[in-house]
Amino acid sequence: MCLLKSRCLCYLIQKIFFQLFLRFVSNLSTIAGGFLFVMVHWISVLKKYKENTHQTKVMFSKRECLPCVASLITTVEETPQIISAAVRGHVPKWLNGYLLRIGPRKFEFGKDKYRHWFDGMALLHQFMIEKGTVTYRSKFLQSDTYKANSANNRIVISEFGTLALPDPCRNVFARFMSKFELPAISDNTIVNYVKYKGDYYISTVDWSKFIAVNGATAHPHYDPDGTAYNMGNSYGPHGSCYNVIRVPPEKVDLGDKIHGAQVICSIAPAERMKPSYYHSFGMTENYIIFIEQPLKMNLWKIITSKIWGKAFSDGISWEPQYNTQFHVVDKHTGQMERTHRSQEDQQMEEVQGMKSGGNQVYNAAARSYPRRFVLPLHVRLNAAEGENLSPLSYSSATAVKQADGKIWCSYEKLHPEDLEEEGGIEFPQINYGQFSGKKYNFFYGCGFWHLVGDSLIKVDVVNKTLTVWREDAFYPSEPVFVPVPGASEEDDGVILSVVITPNQNNRNFLLVLDAKNFEELGRAEVPVQMPYGFHGTFVTI
């Protein structure tokens, strides 16, 4: 009888753990959001900012006496009513549409406070631009998490860096047993807007209703016909798997969301119970490029985090002994073409890839500096050990065959030394509509000498030069490129960026730059506080 009870107890524990496992990791791809690649370096500094908001000076990186930006990551009120912006300079008359952005902006409920920047409740922003005029409004995302926290006036659903504590009104035994209850999964989405079949989404899509995938990234890629590609993980009793997803461009009926989505390729992690974290991937005209990096998610730590009183983030760690692997998948057939390796010691964010001859050329931003890798698709059987299989004349990147037949890749720097003086670059963007998957000359991003972006940068990856926009005590957001209608040149358009300041005597504004020369065309000032968010998109009207 005792043996039977023990077996039943073990079975019950295994069942509970497996349910916890699926619930915890189902949305893990988007919990951390687009900024996780800098979390490894900044998490302790961000905590100091939130805990010591009285200080006016801090030290970070190689610079001293940086101004305090604590107010940029504190709670503000929503502004649901439409506010007219005061335009200085001019906004091009051809620029008509909505700049939509999202980011965390409520960091406490009652006496409970979030412990991490990524945990704040999502605030949606809209700049409407029409015939040279600009209006602004914002509203908190009415997620189930936001409503539950508001109704209880405390944090009742755990987030990436904050563990929700048991109800203080429950007795000691009930609070202890609550550690073993299935946790509610947050639907607070602070990362990005995504588009499927012509519709925009901000809340996490429940992929499991359509395909055998538990979650997907907030950074899909698109073909010119609207076909969307994404990557998501699936989890089961034996661990995890990376999956390439394809969503057709057309709706079957008005109620169609992502019906017809299919997994075209599954990739086994180097270690199934320690899959790599990723928040994006690359795509060329014919291939998906997935980087399996040594930023590992320890699934056992994550699924038992509530029991030990830990946050999800405690289950993520950098483990360089795994090295970096580049997986190349034919997006038309779903076949794995090649896997290449690199001894990179940085977390990389994808800029974009393109095809050149028989090679895939892949640009990435690693530890804030852009780099190029060349991934050979066709390797001769008689290729000699030590031979460089990347013969592109315009790139110094190498792909060298080893004695065991594996290909090890090294990168080419795509930036001048001046970029180090700007603190590196994040939030890379290109002229996506015309140059996605193709060879391009320029990309745009934010310079990061501070905890948040403090400059806008245009990088010429051919001539390896920089053009910089900066204004003291102002902090620009991710640049969004909008092309001039009918443009024939890659940089013929404007850059849009929301620029904010902690100085209450100055106004936040929407900045409009000429993408060619990075000169300011105009700014639309609004008298409201705004958060420093992550990503956004421009929707033409």
Side-chain angles (χ1 to χ4, degrees), residues 314-332:
D314 290 327
I316 300 176
S317 60
W318 183 257
E319 301 185 28
Q321 69 272 19
Y322 286 97
N323 293 312
T324 296
Q325 296 189 71
F326 296 83
H327 302 288
V328 182
V329 177
D330 187 314
K331 71 181 191 183
H332 304 297

Side-chain angles (χ1 to χ4, degrees), residues 260-382:
Q262 59 182 151
V263 173
I264 63 171
C265 181
S266 295
I267 305 168
E271 187 174 340
R272 287 190 177 272
M273 289 305 293
K274 273 191 176 181
S276 294
Y277 170 81
Y278 59 97
H279 81 279
S280 59
F281 60 99
M283 189 175 84
T284 71
E285 185 179 357
N286 296 308
Y287 296 95
I288 299 294
I289 305 171
F290 169 61
I291 307 181
E292 185 177 7
Q293 301 177 79
L295 186 58
K296 294 294 184 177
M297 301 187 297
N298 187 316
L299 298 183
W300 285 117
K301 283 188 177 181
I302 291 172
I303 63 178
T304 60
S305 58
K306 185 177 180 181
I307 296 173
W308 304 113
K310 302 289 186 179
F312 302 144
S313 56
D314 290 327
I316 300 176
S317 60
W318 183 257
E319 301 185 28
Q321 69 272 19
Y322 286 97
N323 293 312
T324 296
Q325 296 189 71
F326 296 83
H327 302 288
V328 182
V329 177
D330 187 314
K331 71 181 191 183
H332 304 297
T333 66
Q335 295 297 310
M336 174 77 77
E337 293 293 327
R338 305 289 306 183
T339 294
H340 300 293
R341 292 164 173 78
S342 177
Q343 291 181 323
E344 282 303 295
D345 59 351
Q346 292 90 9
Q347 166 74 359
M348 286 181 281
E349 180 184 23
E350 292 70 24
V351 178
Q352 192 49 277
M354 67 271 191
K355 184 177 181 181
S356 182
N359 305 280
Q360 293 302 302
V361 182
Y362 192 71
N363 295 345
R367 194 177 278 180
S368 302
Y369 300 108
R371 296 169 173 176
R372 171 177 290 150
F373 292 85
V374 177
L375 312 176
L377 290 177
H378 307 294
V379 179
R380 303 187 320 275
L381 293 177
N382 61 348

